[in-house]
Amino acid sequence: MRRLSWVALVMVVGVALVVGTRDDGGAPTRDERAQSLAERFRCPTCKGQSVADSDAPASEFIRDEIDRQLGEGRSDDEIEAYLVSRYGSSVLLTPPRSGIAALVWVVPVAALVLASAGLVVAFRRWGRSWVPT
Amino acid sequence: MNAAVGSAGVALGLAACVAGVLTLVVGIRRGRPPLLAAGRSFVTLALLGAVIATLAMERALVTHDFSVQFVADNGSRATPLLYTIASLWSALEGSLILWVLVLTGYVVAVRHRFRAQADDPLVSWALVVLLAVAAFFFALLAGPANPFREVAGAVPSDGPGPNPLLQNHPLMAIHPPFLYLGYVGFTVPYAFALAALITGRLGEGWLSVTRRWTLLAWGALTVGIVLGAWWSYEVLGWGGFWAWDPVENSSFLPWLTGTAYLHSVMVQERRGMLRVWNLSLLIATYSLTILGTFLTRSGVLDSVHAFSESAIGPWLLTFFAVVVLAGVGLIGWRGDRLRSPGRIDSPLSREGAFLANNVLFAAFALVVLLGTVFPLLVEAVRGDRISVGTPYFDRMTGPVVLALLFIMAVAPVLPWRRASGQLLRHRLLWPAWAGAGALVVAVASGAHGLGPLVAFALGGFAAGSAIRQLVLAARASRRAGRSWFHGVSGRANGGMIVHLGVVIVAVAFASASSYQTERTVRLEEGESARVAGHTVTYLGVERSETAQRRVVKARVQVDGGDVFTPALSEYPNATQTIGTPSVDWGLREDVYLTLQASPTIEGGPAVIGVIVEPLVSWLWIGGLLMAVGTALSAWPGGRRRPTDPSSMWSAEAGTEPVSSSAARSEAEGPVGTAARGPA
Amino acid sequence: MVVVALVAVLATRDPAGTRLGRSPLLGKVAPVLAGESIVAGTDDFDLAHQEGRWVVVNFFATWCVPCQEEHDDLVTLAADHAAADDLAVVSVVFSDTAANVSAYFADRGGSWPVIDDPQGQVITDWGVTGVPESFVVDGRGYVRAKVVGGITVERLEQLLVDLASGG
């Protein structure tokens, strides 16, 4: 009975997840692209906000520029490269994945992997010496 | 006159702390109780010094005594009284005064609470550490960060006032004091940890006894962080509440390690294990509060809070190094006494879960710390400027949060020592259905995207588990003849309520971040627009002027009901125009309104920003629940003597059976209702 | 370990706030800058035609207080170099109206080209985030320096000397 309950549970969860992660299909619209691009860049005069969120004049100008270049048919990468070439790599909200900046992506993952491995090893070692009471 | 009195207060405090440290140390070494008593009396003098300094500065601020440099920099005749009082902590030097006030207050409280053990060297060493820390901060006030410096040259007749953003909302008045109660509060368990290390008495229950202090500090810090997020939401106008800003992060880091500590210390109480973890977490927590202070006060990182660069940077950094080295050094020295008598038997046990918990929180803290300081490191090494922003933090911390939600669900049902899969399946069935239910409800309400959906499901799972514990505890307590209240108070039960609060905050965070709709509309008077199912109608503007500022308010009606007034304010002493958002909050979603551009001609159109964010109000409700749970968790139960050994109960796997349904006895918590109440 | 590295780094870091700005444009060919001047009595401007001259590209707004403070220095600078014709000043408007700018120049003097940039194309081309910001372009068209904040005559002349000698 219990087992059946768990099986039913797994099925319900599975169906719900499939329904929920269905793609709404279609390529992103220009507005959606503009929004997601704007979220990639840091407002240069604010403290950590994205260009999408900020009201500062510098952000507005960058948003206008993004819009203009989208109108010219540039790709997301081209627009990103342009802005980096004018404002410097600090305008990106996420550090690039190459070069020294890659460390910030790699280190936490490496640390977690190491820690988990350490835990597994420790549990193995302790498990062997466990004596049932 | 104010400056003289204030400086005298600081000097008194400094002298008292130094004298206290000296007399106590000599008294401990030579075993002379009269010296110990003298040392303790210096504690009162230190508090007196802090109080005098605080009163002197407040008086200077309120009476607009611009001969004092701090008042000249931060005060203004145009500022209303509440904000003038709060301007004490609106800038660096004044906030240090608040710090010493809170700290000396805590020291006096510690002395009072432990007066029965007054001659115990351990307590005296704790006082020594506390007074030494206070001495450092008094020294900062006397030297590099002196707020009572007099103005060089002519005394100005008025000042610029605090930053306009800090005059906007009463939350500004209470957010920093709560944060400080938290930060400074962690000094107490830190001091006791060092004292235990120094005296080598690590088998006793000192960390448990000070648990209530840690809980209070943690609770205050939680409230402070939530208030900060709320302030950000209500004041800053971007519709967000958490930007992974360096200052937000530096308040979050000690919270993370502090949370891990609060859980992990239960293992030490039960089984005497994880002692090194606990001490390290405690030292990490306290040193992170100092690091956080350094990062925000030294101007090294850019932030809304980075008021100025300051000479105290190097001092704070040195102090941070001292705090860490003292802790680490002492742990190294006493390493042999820290070996625990037991071993963790199985990963599938409460101890195993807490250990995994520690690892996850440590990983979480590492990610946040790394992301915060990485730009600094890269710039120092390479000269490049890079930024680490929200997308990084979201992506890296997301999986950790999901794993934590999972553990939150499973750990409360895990017995100590060892569990079987069968036991888990039996106990977790109901919570698992709660999780599935949450998922179905979310999908039915239109949520999409794997990340948020998994978060909702796990949130439901964790909430189900917490509720199950509470129901079992309430029933057990009724059967034992006590009121149901005992089922929700005490350590474990209060903890379950805090877990519920955390789940609510996590779910609200996920939904508000992932599902917000934002539009900017330009409306003529009387015109409406529809955004995400709501109708906003622009009715016109109101202009007003006070000594403090000139305000343009737009009147916007939402859904034909209440009228809200997002505004733009101009302050005479600042060049920026400050926007004030207006929020139509609701349980399902908030409609967040900002005035982007006021009409350039009378009766012309205005540009209104509209953001619709689901479930934002639950962030504050969840935060409140966390605070309530913390208070319940600290509810007085049985008392323990601090010198009792810390692992009296390591032998059995649990205490009274509380199973309500199954015939087999379930050796599990909650145990907060018995004599083993929180200390 | 992170902590140790952090302490080492933080202890040796300079505080923020030096006036010379960073820009990815430094050392590269300057972006295009050409347009009609909106101030009466001044010529149109094209950066490409400024060979052999230093050019100070100044981004400003009339509502910006440090810009107002540096304006007199710009006037002096332009006048000092008028005879030798080895330095040109051009201003770009940041978030302001043409009417304000014309009135400002009529009031305070200054007879160099002023280019309007209502859509912010020039602003983003040069990576400008606030005002005042000025760029120094050398006689071959390369961007050599970025000054964040108001300029003074002394500072700029010294900068020119440093740059000319290979700084």
Tab-separated table of all heavy atoms in Angstrom, chain B residues 103 114 216 287 357 424 510 557 662 674:
chain	number	residue	atom	x	y	z
B	103	LEU	N	27.693	46.581	22.395
B	103	LEU	CA	28.667	45.620	22.928
B	103	LEU	C	28.785	45.715	24.438
B	103	LEU	O	28.722	44.716	25.147
B	103	LEU	CB	30.024	45.852	22.265
B	103	LEU	CG	31.147	44.911	22.687
B	103	LEU	CD1	30.747	43.461	22.514
B	103	LEU	CD2	32.396	45.200	21.867
B	114	PHE	N	25.911	35.409	34.351
B	114	PHE	CA	26.826	34.393	34.861
B	114	PHE	C	27.377	34.756	36.216
B	114	PHE	O	28.452	34.320	36.594
B	114	PHE	CB	27.959	34.165	33.853
B	114	PHE	CG	27.474	33.489	32.601
B	114	PHE	CD1	27.210	34.225	31.460
B	114	PHE	CD2	27.255	32.120	32.580
B	114	PHE	CE1	26.741	33.605	30.316
B	114	PHE	CE2	26.788	31.502	31.442
B	114	PHE	CZ	26.536	32.242	30.317
B	216	LEU	N	19.736	34.530	19.973
B	216	LEU	CA	19.288	35.924	19.973
B	216	LEU	C	20.038	36.710	18.909
B	216	LEU	O	19.435	37.439	18.112
B	216	LEU	CB	19.528	36.542	21.354
B	216	LEU	CG	19.306	38.057	21.447
B	216	LEU	CD1	17.848	38.388	21.343
B	216	LEU	CD2	19.865	38.597	22.760
B	287	SER	N	34.360	36.277	12.823
B	287	SER	CA	35.331	36.995	11.987
B	287	SER	C	34.672	37.524	10.727
B	287	SER	O	35.061	38.575	10.217
B	287	SER	CB	36.541	36.119	11.655
B	287	SER	OG	36.125	34.862	11.203
B	357	ASN	N	24.860	19.192	6.194
B	357	ASN	CA	24.374	20.561	6.333
B	357	ASN	C	25.533	21.551	6.449
B	357	ASN	O	25.576	22.582	5.791
B	357	ASN	CB	23.494	20.621	7.581
B	357	ASN	CG	22.679	21.874	7.661
B	357	ASN	OD1	22.075	22.294	6.697
B	357	ASN	ND2	22.687	22.509	8.807
B	424	LEU	N	12.502	5.873	6.837
B	424	LEU	CA	12.396	7.146	6.132
B	424	LEU	C	11.173	7.174	5.231
B	424	LEU	O	10.432	8.147	5.204
B	424	LEU	CB	13.648	7.382	5.282
B	424	LEU	CG	14.863	7.885	6.019
B	424	LEU	CD1	15.988	8.121	5.046
B	424	LEU	CD2	14.539	9.149	6.771
B	510	ALA	N	11.945	32.740	-5.014
B	510	ALA	CA	11.962	32.115	-6.337
B	510	ALA	C	10.861	32.690	-7.213
B	510	ALA	O	11.091	33.026	-8.382
B	510	ALA	CB	11.807	30.602	-6.201
B	557	GLN	N	-4.366	54.986	-9.743
B	557	GLN	CA	-5.363	54.097	-9.174
B	557	GLN	C	-5.148	52.698	-9.739
B	557	GLN	O	-4.953	52.526	-10.943
B	557	GLN	CB	-6.748	54.586	-9.563
B	557	GLN	CG	-7.865	53.846	-8.856
B	557	GLN	CD	-9.209	54.428	-9.244
B	557	GLN	OE1	-9.421	54.811	-10.382
B	557	GLN	NE2	-10.111	54.508	-8.287
B	662	ALA	N	1.947	5.034	14.428
B	662	ALA	CA	2.484	3.688	14.286
B	662	ALA	C	2.661	3.007	15.617
B	662	ALA	O	2.872	3.631	16.650
B	662	ALA	CB	3.807	3.752	13.561
B	674	ALA	N	10.873	18.273	27.165
B	674	ALA	CA	11.319	17.610	28.395
B	674	ALA	C	12.310	18.469	29.152
B	674	ALA	O	12.538	19.617	28.824
B	674	ALA	CB	11.927	16.255	28.049
